[in-house]
Amino acid sequence: MPDPNQETFGSIEDFMAYLSSIETTVESEVSRIADSIDAVTDRISASLRSAIGDSTWFPDTKPPPPPPSHTIARPAGYIEASTNWISRHRAITAAVVCFLGTGAFLIWRQRRVNRMKRRAKRAKNGQRTEIIVLAGPPSAPLTRSLSLDLERRGFVVYIPVNSLWEETLIQAESKADIHPLHLDVTSPSSISSTIRKFTNLLGPNNGSKYPLNLASFILLPQTPSPPQPQSIADLSVDTWSDALTTHLISPFTLLQAFLPLLGPHKASVLILTPVNTSSLSPPLHGLENVIAGGMQQYISTLRKEMPASGNLNIVHFKLGAFDDASDRDAFKMAIALRHDSRNGESSGTALPPSEEGRKIRGTPLRALHLEVFDAIVGKKTGTVYVGRGSRTYDALGKVMPEGLVGWMLGLKSRREVAAKQETTEGEKVSREGSPGWERVDQISGEESA
């Protein structure tokens, strides 16, 4: 008889096999369904991405940045603001620093040079041994100023004169080391006699224990100052002759007479001429332009000839505008001398005209004194510009066209000039008599008032 347990075990195995087949079937179906779902999902995602990428209305996926926070900046101080500006403009800052540094250095050096003591050489016993010949009009304020300054610095100054009145002007200074030197440029015998005496003064038999030395010859030619500007057509032959004789031939004769003495002593030659007017060669100033041009050519030729005959330091001073504080003192002295002199007009040398008595803000005369001393001792050579406007006017005269100069100076037509000369003819005639003394009378009236 069959065992019932054996039959039951057989049916359980069949059931388990059936169950395992069902599990396999379910897994395969679930896997197929999942694959189908994944495929459908991929197709839907691709379609959505394609639709969203091609659309223009859909907003950006990246959110916009947040707005900046509004913070109130603290105002920077002066130092911080300056530092920021310098860091932003380094080129401008470097240029300004270079300019200010160079200017400060030049000012410091000039002040240091000006503070240096300038004194002439003396003998061991204190005797003055350096001699200066100052060839200029004794009545000119510039001649007086230079002579007093050179005497104060230890020089013995000799001023050529050709009349008693000019000698009186020099003696009125009451300076023991400023002497008149009688020399008539129109007389060759007077020139030779004066030069012979002056040579004996510089020689070993002059009665002095120590030898004297001719340090420098300073030529200060007087410039013409007509009462009214005149055209060349209106200048007479006598006017040309007198102007050329007074302002060119006489200075040339003086310098030529002293040239034999300058070489052995290695003296310097200083020629001082104004430049503000003559450099522009303005119209209606024919006398000044011709005289300035002749003096310039004479200096140029002298510089080329002197190295062959002697070692002379020829310095040309081109003068600008100076403060005229010394003019009033010169006029006061002339007023006093006029009352004491009986024949003051016989000297032939007039006082500076009224045009020179105007108040002009210029360079102090001390600057000229220092430059002259440096040229005497050999520290200055060539051309030296002193005075306000000297270098500027000289440069403008070389580069500016003549038409522009005439326009700037207010060039008038010949008809207007003739009309003005006719209206002022009477005034010109009265001024030609004594232009210098009219200024003296004017100053005298101001002093008495």
Side-chain angles (χ1 to χ4, degrees):
M1 181 175 187
D3 189 0
N5 295 331
Q6 185 70 29
E7 186 178 359
T8 303
F9 179 78
S11 54
I12 292 173
E13 289 181 351
D14 294 338
F15 181 76
M16 294 299 294
Y18 177 75
L19 290 178
S20 64
S21 62
I22 292 175
E23 182 180 359
T24 304
T25 304
V26 170
E27 288 179 357
S28 61
E29 291 297 329
V30 170
S31 176
R32 185 178 61 80
I33 293 171
D35 293 339
S36 300
I37 293 173
D38 291 338
V40 172
T41 303
D42 292 339
R43 287 195 297 271
I44 294 173
S45 299
S47 300
L48 290 176
R49 284 196 296 268
S50 176
I52 293 173
D54 296 339
S55 64
T56 58
W57 56 269
F58 201 83
D60 295 336
T61 57
K62 185 178 180 180
S69 59
H70 298 282
T71 58
I72 301 176
R74 182 177 58 87
Y78 290 106
I79 298 178
E80 186 178 355
S82 302
T83 305
N84 295 336
W85 189 91
I86 291 173
S87 62
R88 292 193 305 269
H89 306 83
R90 294 184 178 182
I92 299 177
T93 304
V96 171
V97 169
C98 292
F99 177 78
L100 295 179
T102 304
F105 173 74
L106 293 177
I107 294 174
W108 171 80
R109 189 179 65 175
Q110 186 65 30
R111 290 184 176 179
R112 182 182 178 184
V113 171
N114 292 341
R115 286 196 298 265
M116 293 175 57
K117 290 186 178 180
R118 292 171 170 82
R119 294 293 182 268
K121 296 180 181 179
R122 295 200 182 194
K124 295 181 180 180
N125 59 353
Q127 176 186 346
R128 301 191 179 202
T129 58
E130 300 293 318
I131 295 179
I132 300 292
V133 177
L134 179 58
S139 59
L142 189 57
T143 304
R144 177 176 179 267
S145 176
L146 282 175
S147 62
L148 292 176
D149 182 76
L150 292 173
E151 188 273 339
R152 183 176 60 86
R153 298 183 187 277
F155 291 101
V156 180
V157 183
Y158 284 87
I159 303 177
V161 297
N162 58 3
S163 65
L164 182 61
W165 185 69
E166 291 182 347
E167 181 180 356
T168 306
L169 284 175
I170 298 174
Q171 293 176 351
E173 298 293 344
S174 301
K175 298 294 182 180
D177 294 303
I178 300 180
H179 308 281
L181 184 64
H182 295 278
L183 195 150
D184 187 4
V185 294
T186 61
S187 175
S189 59
S190 174
I191 295 176
S192 60
S193 175
T194 302
I195 296 300
R196 191 183 311 111
K197 294 178 181 178
F198 200 78
T199 304
N200 295 333
L201 177 65
L202 299 175
N205 300 325
N206 55 3
S208 176
K209 183 178 179 181
Y210 296 94
L212 301 179
N213 177 50
L214 180 59
S216 178
F217 179 88
I218 303 176
L219 183 61
L220 185 61
Q222 185 179 2
T223 55
S225 298
Q228 285 289 89
Q230 295 179 344
S231 61
I232 294 180
D234 297 331
L235 294 174
S236 62
V237 177
D238 294 337
T239 303
W240 280 108
S241 177
D242 295 340
L244 295 179
T245 300
T246 303
H247 306 292
L248 284 182
I249 298 178
S250 296
F252 295 167
T253 305
L254 278 174
L255 182 55
Q256 184 180 4
F258 282 92
L259 276 180
L261 299 176
L262 299 176
H265 292 270
K266 296 183 180 181
S268 58
V269 179
L270 279 60
I271 304 177
L272 286 70
T273 59
V275 70
N276 283 6
T277 302
S278 60
S279 60
L280 299 179
S281 299
L284 306 178
H285 291 75
L287 285 175
E288 296 180 53
N289 299 335
V290 170
I291 291 173
M295 186 63 68
Q296 180 66 39
Q297 295 301 321
Y298 179 81
I299 296 172
S300 177
T301 305
L302 187 63
R303 284 175 174 171
K304 296 176 182 178
E305 294 179 355
M306 282 302 102
S309 59
N311 188 15
L312 294 181
N313 180 25
I314 301 175
V315 185
H316 183 198
F317 280 82
K318 293 188 176 183
L319 308 181
F322 293 94
D323 286 339
D324 54 354
S326 60
D327 290 353
R328 184 168 295 272
D329 296 336
F331 287 130
K332 289 179 180 179
M333 182 182 66
I335 293 170
L337 291 174
R338 185 185 183 188
H339 294 295
D340 297 336
S341 176
R342 294 182 179 180
N343 191 14
E345 297 179 358
S346 62
S347 63
T349 303
L351 289 176
S354 58
E355 286 80 359
E356 296 182 2
R358 294 176 295 178
K359 295 296 181 183
I360 302 175
R361 299 297 301 175
T363 304
L365 282 174
R366 185 174 182 272
L368 177 62
H369 298 161
L370 299 179
E371 296 291 342
V372 167
F373 182 90
D374 293 341
I376 291 174
V377 299
K379 294 182 179 180
K380 298 289 184 179
T381 58
T383 303
V384 179
Y385 295 89
V386 189
R388 177 168 296 180
S390 58
R391 191 182 297 274
T392 303
Y393 277 94
D394 187 62
L396 291 178
K398 294 178 181 178
V399 300
M400 288 181 61
E402 295 182 359
L404 183 59
V405 174
W407 176 78
M408 291 180 63
L409 297 177
L411 180 61
K412 297 182 179 180
S413 63
R414 181 178 177 83
R415 203 174 282 176
E416 294 177 354
V417 173
K420 186 175 181 179
Q421 289 180 350
E422 289 178 0
T423 57
T424 59
E425 184 178 1
E427 183 181 357
K428 288 167 57 179
V429 172
S430 62
R431 288 183 180 179
E432 289 177 356
S434 56
W437 292 120
E438 287 183 359
R439 179 60 180 164
V440 173
D441 293 337
Q442 181 180 356
I443 298 297
S444 178
E446 293 177 0
E447 294 295 332
S448 61

